Amino acid sequence: MLTRTAIYEGTVRDGREDEFFRRVRDELEPFWRRFPGVTAVRVQRLRSKDADARPIAMILEMDFPDQAALDACLASPIRPESHAATEAVMQMFDGRFYHLVSEGRTLPPAG
């Protein structure tokens, strides 16, 4: 499994947090769920962090079964639409977002 992670590093502008996350839910999540090949989408709103951690407002994770599925997602005509919608929502955000791709596995708890 591959996970494409978007890190939203920065802060939502004061007084806009509820609106920002409502727009993420209503405007962006539908795009993310429609990407071809995606098997799971996780949207994580940061609730707490270590004192010396970078300011992260949100983390988006999208799972794909393999590189071919991820490549199909990146080539999808949905992507430019999603990016344009993201740019509109980011007007309430001071910071940047960037992507990481990781390969992972899920482990059950010990004993």
Side-chain angles (χ1 to χ4, degrees), residues 14-104:
D14 285 342
R16 308 286 303 266
E17 292 87 0
D18 289 341
E19 180 185 5
F20 178 83
F21 287 102
R22 179 189 52 76
R23 289 187 66 190
V24 166
R25 182 192 69 227
D26 295 347
E27 299 172 28
L28 302 181
E29 289 179 16
F31 282 113
W32 299 335
R33 295 175 64 212
R34 286 181 31 228
F35 276 113
V38 70
T39 59
V41 177
R42 288 177 299 283
V43 180
Q44 302 173 49
R45 180 176 180 174
L46 210 69
R47 294 294 183 192
S48 65
K49 63 183 182 68
D50 291 344
D52 61 346
R54 291 182 136 334
I56 305 292
M58 183 174 75
I59 300 169
L60 163 65
E61 296 178 319
M62 298 173 67
D63 292 340
F64 299 89
D66 53 34
Q67 187 64 50
L70 177 54
D71 292 344
C73 169
L74 297 177
S76 168
I78 298 169
R79 189 167 180 226
E81 295 176 56
S82 173
H83 187 75
T86 299
E87 289 296 321
V89 173
M90 291 297 284
Q91 298 301 308
M92 294 179 278
F93 188 79
D94 291 318
R96 65 188 184 127
F97 65 95
Y98 53 91
H99 297 92
L100 309 166
V101 175
S102 59
E103 183 175 17

